[in-house]
């Protein structure tokens, strides 16, 4: 005896019932989704609909705006500070908005000696700093970080050289 199993054409009955149930309750589903996301669900659907109606970008290029879907954390205050983060990255940031302006480098360790590595291609960073920033703090590359020159002194020296104080 041989059983022949063949694939049916079209969707399964269970899938068709689920699709009909979702379509029938789409209003309630949208209302719950908006309540859970504080309106972001419908706003996202409207943004996608508006983007699909927009003309295609020139030369086939696709642009992504990563800030459109989220609120700004604050306004730019112009108060720029330098800090050494917990993961040993040395960054310049705007204290009003909290946004990072530059990754200046990082504190590295080699043979139990900690030193400052400037963000440059020579030190293994993907993108180098702007020329004016590199000129201002370039001689701090390789600066040993110890009791005589702690991280706080390095951060204040970089701030002073870049004119952030």
């Amino acid at each position: 005896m041989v059983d022949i199993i063949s694939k049916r054409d079209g969707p399964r009955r269970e899938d068709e019932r689920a699709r009909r149930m979702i379509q029938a309750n789409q209003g309630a589903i949208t209302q719950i989704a908006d309540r859970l996301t504080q309106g972001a669900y419908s706003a996202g659907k409207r943004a996608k609909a508006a983007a699909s109606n927009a003309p295609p970008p020139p030369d086939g290029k696709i642009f992504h705006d990563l800030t459109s879907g989220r609120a700004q954390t604050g306004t730019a205050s112009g108060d720029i500070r330098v800090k050494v983060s917990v993961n040993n990255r040395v960054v310049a940031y705007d204290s009003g908005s909290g946004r990072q302006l530059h990754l200046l480098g990082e504190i590295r360790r080699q043979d139990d000696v900690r030193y400052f590595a400037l963000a440059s291609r020579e030190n293994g960073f993907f993108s180098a700093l702007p020329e004016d920033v590199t000129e201002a703090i370039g001689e701090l590359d390789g600066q040993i970080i110890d009791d005589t020159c702690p991280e706080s002194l390095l951060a204040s020296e970089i701030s002073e050289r870049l004119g952030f104080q």
Side-chain angles (χ1 to χ4, degrees), residues 135-151:
E135 288 174 5
I137 63 171
E139 65 184 32
L140 294 176
D141 187 23
Q143 173 68 42
I144 295 176
I145 307 298
D146 57 6
D147 292 338
T148 59
C149 180
E151 295 172 355

PDB file of all heavy atoms in Angstrom, residues 135-151:
ATOM      1  N   GLU A 135      45.894  68.189  14.841  1.00  0.00           N
ATOM      2  CA  GLU A 135      47.012  69.101  15.072  1.00  0.00           C
ATOM      3  C   GLU A 135      47.057  69.566  16.528  1.00  0.00           C
ATOM      4  O   GLU A 135      48.128  69.698  17.114  1.00  0.00           O
ATOM      5  CB  GLU A 135      46.915  70.313  14.145  1.00  0.00           C
ATOM      6  CG  GLU A 135      47.225  70.003  12.703  1.00  0.00           C
ATOM      7  CD  GLU A 135      46.986  71.199  11.803  1.00  0.00           C
ATOM      8  OE1 GLU A 135      46.676  72.300  12.309  1.00  0.00           O
ATOM      9  OE2 GLU A 135      47.101  71.025  10.575  1.00  0.00           O
ATOM     10  N   ALA A 136      45.880  69.805  17.108  1.00  0.00           N
ATOM     11  CA  ALA A 136      45.836  70.343  18.472  1.00  0.00           C
ATOM     12  C   ALA A 136      46.247  69.312  19.520  1.00  0.00           C
ATOM     13  O   ALA A 136      46.948  69.649  20.485  1.00  0.00           O
ATOM     14  CB  ALA A 136      44.436  70.868  18.774  1.00  0.00           C
ATOM     15  N   ILE A 137      45.838  68.060  19.344  1.00  0.00           N
ATOM     16  CA  ILE A 137      46.121  67.068  20.394  1.00  0.00           C
ATOM     17  C   ILE A 137      47.022  65.937  19.918  1.00  0.00           C
ATOM     18  O   ILE A 137      47.202  64.952  20.622  1.00  0.00           O
ATOM     19  CB  ILE A 137      44.811  66.481  20.961  1.00  0.00           C
ATOM     20  CG1 ILE A 137      44.024  65.718  19.890  1.00  0.00           C
ATOM     21  CG2 ILE A 137      43.972  67.551  21.608  1.00  0.00           C
ATOM     22  CD1 ILE A 137      42.847  64.948  20.450  1.00  0.00           C
ATOM     23  N   GLY A 138      47.633  66.094  18.754  1.00  0.00           N
ATOM     24  CA  GLY A 138      48.455  65.038  18.171  1.00  0.00           C
ATOM     25  C   GLY A 138      49.633  64.622  19.037  1.00  0.00           C
ATOM     26  O   GLY A 138      50.009  63.453  19.077  1.00  0.00           O
ATOM     27  N   GLU A 139      50.224  65.572  19.745  1.00  0.00           N
ATOM     28  CA  GLU A 139      51.406  65.220  20.549  1.00  0.00           C
ATOM     29  C   GLU A 139      51.059  64.484  21.842  1.00  0.00           C
ATOM     30  O   GLU A 139      51.952  63.991  22.524  1.00  0.00           O
ATOM     31  CB  GLU A 139      52.253  66.449  20.838  1.00  0.00           C
ATOM     32  CG  GLU A 139      51.598  67.489  21.699  1.00  0.00           C
ATOM     33  CD  GLU A 139      52.464  68.721  21.865  1.00  0.00           C
ATOM     34  OE1 GLU A 139      53.207  69.065  20.938  1.00  0.00           O
ATOM     35  OE2 GLU A 139      52.360  69.337  22.938  1.00  0.00           O
ATOM     36  N   LEU A 140      49.768  64.366  22.142  1.00  0.00           N
ATOM     37  CA  LEU A 140      49.353  63.579  23.307  1.00  0.00           C
ATOM     38  C   LEU A 140      49.240  62.090  22.978  1.00  0.00           C
ATOM     39  O   LEU A 140      49.016  61.278  23.873  1.00  0.00           O
ATOM     40  CB  LEU A 140      48.014  64.078  23.852  1.00  0.00           C
ATOM     41  CG  LEU A 140      48.027  65.482  24.453  1.00  0.00           C
ATOM     42  CD1 LEU A 140      46.631  65.897  24.854  1.00  0.00           C
ATOM     43  CD2 LEU A 140      48.968  65.545  25.632  1.00  0.00           C
ATOM     44  N   ASP A 141      49.390  61.740  21.695  1.00  0.00           N
ATOM     45  CA  ASP A 141      49.330  60.335  21.288  1.00  0.00           C
ATOM     46  C   ASP A 141      50.472  59.582  21.955  1.00  0.00           C
ATOM     47  O   ASP A 141      51.637  59.954  21.842  1.00  0.00           O
ATOM     48  CB  ASP A 141      49.441  60.221  19.763  1.00  0.00           C
ATOM     49  CG  ASP A 141      49.205  58.815  19.270  1.00  0.00           C
ATOM     50  OD1 ASP A 141      48.544  58.036  19.985  1.00  0.00           O
ATOM     51  OD2 ASP A 141      49.675  58.497  18.161  1.00  0.00           O
ATOM     52  N   GLY A 142      50.123  58.527  22.685  1.00  0.00           N
ATOM     53  CA  GLY A 142      51.131  57.740  23.394  1.00  0.00           C
ATOM     54  C   GLY A 142      51.401  58.220  24.817  1.00  0.00           C
ATOM     55  O   GLY A 142      52.252  57.653  25.504  1.00  0.00           O
ATOM     56  N   GLN A 143      50.678  59.243  25.270  1.00  0.00           N
ATOM     57  CA  GLN A 143      50.863  59.765  26.627  1.00  0.00           C
ATOM     58  C   GLN A 143      50.540  58.674  27.648  1.00  0.00           C
ATOM     59  O   GLN A 143      49.476  58.082  27.606  1.00  0.00           O
ATOM     60  CB  GLN A 143      49.947  60.975  26.851  1.00  0.00           C
ATOM     61  CG  GLN A 143      49.909  61.503  28.264  1.00  0.00           C
ATOM     62  CD  GLN A 143      51.212  62.128  28.691  1.00  0.00           C
ATOM     63  OE1 GLN A 143      51.823  62.855  27.918  1.00  0.00           O
ATOM     64  NE2 GLN A 143      51.655  61.837  29.892  1.00  0.00           N
ATOM     65  N   ILE A 144      51.465  58.409  28.551  1.00  0.00           N
ATOM     66  CA  ILE A 144      51.274  57.368  29.563  1.00  0.00           C
ATOM     67  C   ILE A 144      50.324  57.883  30.634  1.00  0.00           C
ATOM     68  O   ILE A 144      50.451  59.004  31.129  1.00  0.00           O
ATOM     69  CB  ILE A 144      52.623  56.947  30.171  1.00  0.00           C
ATOM     70  CG1 ILE A 144      53.473  56.298  29.078  1.00  0.00           C
ATOM     71  CG2 ILE A 144      52.412  56.000  31.337  1.00  0.00           C
ATOM     72  CD1 ILE A 144      54.866  55.925  29.517  1.00  0.00           C
ATOM     73  N   ILE A 145      49.361  57.043  31.013  1.00  0.00           N
ATOM     74  CA  ILE A 145      48.377  57.378  32.039  1.00  0.00           C
ATOM     75  C   ILE A 145      48.767  56.633  33.309  1.00  0.00           C
ATOM     76  O   ILE A 145      48.754  55.411  33.360  1.00  0.00           O
ATOM     77  CB  ILE A 145      46.959  56.958  31.605  1.00  0.00           C
ATOM     78  CG1 ILE A 145      46.607  57.521  30.228  1.00  0.00           C
ATOM     79  CG2 ILE A 145      45.928  57.338  32.634  1.00  0.00           C
ATOM     80  CD1 ILE A 145      46.597  59.013  30.148  1.00  0.00           C
ATOM     81  N   ASP A 146      49.156  57.400  34.339  1.00  0.00           N
ATOM     82  CA  ASP A 146      49.525  56.813  35.631  1.00  0.00           C
ATOM     83  C   ASP A 146      49.204  57.824  36.726  1.00  0.00           C
ATOM     84  O   ASP A 146      48.389  58.721  36.515  1.00  0.00           O
ATOM     85  CB  ASP A 146      51.009  56.400  35.643  1.00  0.00           C
ATOM     86  CG  ASP A 146      51.956  57.553  35.323  1.00  0.00           C
ATOM     87  OD1 ASP A 146      51.494  58.702  35.204  1.00  0.00           O
ATOM     88  OD2 ASP A 146      53.168  57.301  35.199  1.00  0.00           O
ATOM     89  N   ASP A 147      49.843  57.689  37.882  1.00  0.00           N
ATOM     90  CA  ASP A 147      49.553  58.595  38.999  1.00  0.00           C
ATOM     91  C   ASP A 147      49.957  60.029  38.692  1.00  0.00           C
ATOM     92  O   ASP A 147      49.327  60.975  39.172  1.00  0.00           O
ATOM     93  CB  ASP A 147      50.265  58.118  40.266  1.00  0.00           C
ATOM     94  CG  ASP A 147      49.679  56.814  40.783  1.00  0.00           C
ATOM     95  OD1 ASP A 147      48.509  56.530  40.437  1.00  0.00           O
ATOM     96  OD2 ASP A 147      50.382  56.090  41.518  1.00  0.00           O
ATOM     97  N   THR A 148      51.020  60.223  37.927  1.00  0.00           N
ATOM     98  CA  THR A 148      51.459  61.590  37.619  1.00  0.00           C
ATOM     99  C   THR A 148      50.578  62.241  36.556  1.00  0.00           C
ATOM    100  O   THR A 148      50.479  63.454  36.493  1.00  0.00           O
ATOM    101  CB  THR A 148      52.923  61.603  37.146  1.00  0.00           C
ATOM    102  OG1 THR A 148      53.038  60.779  35.976  1.00  0.00           O
ATOM    103  CG2 THR A 148      53.848  61.092  38.230  1.00  0.00           C
ATOM    104  N   CYS A 149      49.967  61.442  35.702  1.00  0.00           N
ATOM    105  CA  CYS A 149      49.061  61.959  34.675  1.00  0.00           C
ATOM    106  C   CYS A 149      47.808  61.093  34.661  1.00  0.00           C
ATOM    107  O   CYS A 149      47.691  60.170  33.854  1.00  0.00           O
ATOM    108  CB  CYS A 149      49.737  61.954  33.302  1.00  0.00           C
ATOM    109  SG  CYS A 149      48.673  62.576  31.981  1.00  0.00           S
ATOM    110  N   PRO A 150      46.846  61.355  35.557  1.00  0.00           N
ATOM    111  CA  PRO A 150      45.612  60.553  35.579  1.00  0.00           C
ATOM    112  C   PRO A 150      44.697  60.912  34.394  1.00  0.00           C
ATOM    113  O   PRO A 150      44.946  61.870  33.671  1.00  0.00           O
ATOM    114  CB  PRO A 150      44.978  60.923  36.916  1.00  0.00           C
ATOM    115  CG  PRO A 150      45.511  62.270  37.221  1.00  0.00           C
ATOM    116  CD  PRO A 150      46.876  62.352  36.623  1.00  0.00           C
ATOM    117  N   GLU A 151      43.632  60.139  34.271  1.00  0.00           N
ATOM    118  CA  GLU A 151      42.678  60.355  33.184  1.00  0.00           C
ATOM    119  C   GLU A 151      42.057  61.740  33.232  1.00  0.00           C
ATOM    120  O   GLU A 151      41.835  62.371  32.201  1.00  0.00           O
ATOM    121  CB  GLU A 151      41.579  59.298  33.236  1.00  0.00           C
ATOM    122  CG  GLU A 151      42.058  57.902  32.983  1.00  0.00           C
ATOM    123  CD  GLU A 151      40.984  56.861  33.232  1.00  0.00           C
ATOM    124  OE1 GLU A 151      39.877  57.224  33.695  1.00  0.00           O
ATOM    125  OE2 GLU A 151      41.253  55.688  32.962  1.00  0.00           O
TER     126      GLU A 151
END
